[in-house]
Each structure stands twice: as C-alpha cells, then as structure tokens.
Amino acid sequence: MTDISNNIKHHNKLIDKMVRGVLYAFTIASASFIFIIVGVIIVKGITPFVTYNQGLGRVDFFRFITGDTWLTGTAFQSNLYSIGFIIVSTIFIALLSLLISLPIGVMTALFIARVAPKKLSETFRTIIEILASIPSIIFGLFGATIIKPFVYNLSAAFCYQSKGGNSMLATILVLAIMTIPTIASISEVAIRSVNQKIVNASLALGATKSQTNFKVVLTAAKSGIFASAILGIGRALGEATAVSLVAGGRKSGFSFDILDTTSTLTSIMLEGMKETTGIDYDIRFSVGIILMVIILLTNAILNFIKKKVGNIDVK
C-alpha cells in the first residue's frame, strides 16, 4: 500500500510539474510578443536618427521633438521632420476629452450601481458594455457624419470657418464618447465594491442617500475611479482611426483653438503607413516611440496621484 501511495504522489507531482511548465511556456510566449513589438518599433524608430537615410542625412532629434512643422521640404527628399506641436496637441486633446468623459462616466456608474432600480440598472449596464465593444471606426464614422456637421454649424454661428467641421473640438468629442463606456464600466465595479457597512454607517449618522453617494461612496471608490481614468486617457492617446476622420490633419503650427484643425501622434502615424520604405515610413515608428513614452509618463503620473489619493482614508 505504501508503494502504491508513493507512486500516486509521484505521478501527481509529475502532472503538476508538467502543467506548471505548460503554463510557464504560455506566459513566456505572451510576454515575448510585447518585447517583440517594442523591439521592432524601437529598431525602426531610431533608424532616422542614426543612419544617413539614403543620403538625406540624419534627423535631428531635438528639432524633431520641439519643432512646429511636420515636414519642411518634399517627402523622401528632406529629413526636416518635427512633431513638437503634435505632442502638445495630443496631450491637450486627451486631457480635454478626459475632462468631459470622466465626470459623465463616473456619474453614469454611480447611477447604475447605487440609484437605478435593478432592471433599469441591468439594462444600462448592458448598453454600456455594448458601447465599450464598438470598433473605433464606427465612432469615427459617427463623428464624421454627426459631430463634424454640428461643429461646422456651431462655428458658423460664431462667424468662424471650421473647414467642414474638422477640428480639435470634433476630435475631443469623439474621444470623450469613446472613453465614457470604459470609465463607466470600471467605475461601476469600483462603486459596487464599496463596503456596505460604510454606507449604512453614513445613513445611520443622518446623511441622506445623495450625500452618502457623493461624499462617502465616491470617496471610497476613488482608487478604482482613478484606474478608469488611466485606461480612458490611454485609449484617448492611442486612438488613430476615429481621430483621423475628424481631426483635419494639421501639419504645422502650435494651436489651442478648438475650432481649428489638429493632428495627433496616432493620426500622423496612420497617414504614413501606406509607404513601405524610406525615411517617411521609418519616421512614423519614431513617432510611435514618442507616443509610448508619453503614455508611460502619463500612466506613471496618474498612478502616483492615484496612490496619493488612495492613502486618504474615508472619514
């Protein structure tokens, strides 16, 4: 009996080792894709700065990240690329879209999680989930057919020519609409996770339901709400297809005029992917590197704020 028991234990340990090995292999495979993608982008992205680009000369990195004109000269005949103004507009657009989508998303989540009746709550939750799964091109088409005419008519009312509605405002609205479902879904989960004892204690002390929801529940769920903001701004920074349909493709000049055309790092990358070789193709990967750095820095800043805010206990 002892030998049989030892054989079973040995067999079970062998199976555990095999399963652990298989899971480890899948994990390594998944992680490797990240390193491969990043590696390819970095290798292609630094090419314009370290090679002579078929006789055109190296791209000046400082000029590249600070200049106010995408390309001075003719494509494939000049190395004078700059994205300083695009970096500024990308961050500016992402932040403004977050200022719209965050309060709307959080209030929607609060209504679904704490205010709405059960059946209505389930209905709205399903709608939010459907919105979150809609492809970005659909949002882009919505922006091109609905938001652009709205912006055009709005600008016309102020005697301003908005170039067919292509504008920073249209871009901000499209990105806000796209990020609301993400923020609402994650915030709703965070709000539902608030300990009911905290809610009951607030109500027992005489606070109304509204006071409890806004001052206690949202405060207790602030960490999850910040997490939704991080994912929301990440999507806003990384969106390309929808933005390219409404931004207008601005190629020079710093501008904070929301009725003027604009460009983002992703839209400028998308425009050049039709080429297969040469500096005008490689420089798009350079833009990709800058975009990854901006996303990492933005996430780091928001995570830092999240930790600081998360350390404030609910009183």
Side-chain angles (χ1 to χ4, degrees), residues 90-103:
T90 299
I91 297 173
F92 185 64
I93 288 169
L95 291 177
L96 288 183
S97 68
L98 187 66
L99 287 178
I100 297 173
S101 60
L102 184 60

Side-chain angles (χ1 to χ4, degrees), residues 104-302:
I104 294 176
V106 172
M107 293 302 103
T108 301
L110 183 63
F111 177 78
I112 293 173
R114 304 292 309 179
V115 179
K118 185 176 181 181
K119 289 186 178 180
L120 185 61
S121 174
E122 292 175 352
T123 300
F124 277 118
R125 188 179 301 114
T126 301
I127 292 173
I128 292 298
E129 291 172 353
I130 293 173
L131 284 173
S133 64
I134 292 177
S136 60
I137 184 63
I138 303 301
F139 286 104
L141 293 175
F142 173 80
T145 56
I146 302 298
I147 294 180
K148 279 173 57 176
F150 165 75
V151 173
Y152 178 78
N153 293 329
L154 178 66
S155 61
F158 291 94
C159 300
Y160 187 95
Q161 178 61 42
S162 68
K163 298 182 180 178
N166 290 294
S167 62
M168 184 181 295
L169 178 59
T171 306
I172 291 168
L173 292 176
V174 169
L175 289 178
I177 294 171
M178 290 181 64
T179 53
I180 285 173
T182 301
I183 293 173
S185 297
I186 299 173
S187 297
E188 195 233 336
V189 173
I191 291 170
R192 285 187 178 276
S193 300
V194 174
N195 194 327
Q196 187 61 33
K197 292 181 180 179
I198 299 175
V199 178
N200 293 337
S202 175
L203 294 173
L205 290 172
T208 65
K209 288 185 177 180
S210 296
Q211 289 173 329
T212 300
N213 286 335
F214 283 98
K215 294 185 178 181
V216 176
V217 174
L218 289 183
T219 303
K222 59 187 175 295
S223 182
I225 292 172
F226 262 92
S228 72
I230 291 171
L231 291 177
I233 200 168
R235 184 172 188 187
L237 287 170
E239 180 52 44
T241 307
V243 169
S244 65
L245 294 176
V246 297
R250 187 182 185 88
K251 293 298 188 296
S252 64
F254 291 88
S255 176
F256 296 98
D257 183 353
I258 62 172
L259 293 177
D260 200 359
T261 56
T262 189
S263 287
T264 64
L265 295 173
T266 50
S267 65
I268 207 73
M269 290 170 62
L270 185 64
E271 290 176 8
M273 288 295 103
K274 60 183 179 294
E275 306 296 343
T276 56
T277 59
I279 185 174
D280 198 63
Y281 177 74
D282 293 339
I283 203 70
R284 314 290 168 159
F285 290 89
S286 307
V287 177
I289 295 175
I290 302 300
L291 177 61
M292 289 192 297
V293 171
I294 290 174
I295 291 175
L296 288 174
L297 289 175
T298 303
N299 287 350
I301 293 170
L302 290 177

Side-chain angles (χ1 to χ4, degrees), residues 6-22:
N6 290 334
N7 288 334
I8 292 174
K9 289 181 179 179
H10 178 72
H11 182 262
N12 289 338
K13 288 182 179 180
L14 183 62
I15 292 176
D16 288 341
K17 288 182 179 179
M18 291 177 61
V19 172
R20 189 182 300 113
V22 171

Side-chain angles (χ1 to χ4, degrees), residues 69-72 80-83 85-86 251 268 283-284 287:
T69 302
W70 164 242
L71 175 61
T72 303
L80 303 178
Y81 289 90
S82 301
I83 60 169
F85 71 103
I86 304 178
K251 293 298 188 296
I268 207 73
I283 203 70
R284 314 290 168 159
V287 177

Side-chain angles (χ1 to χ4, degrees), residues 3 38 53 74 154 191 258 274 313:
D3 292 339
V38 173
N53 300 298
T74 306
L154 178 66
I191 291 170
I258 62 172
K274 60 183 179 294
D313 297 326

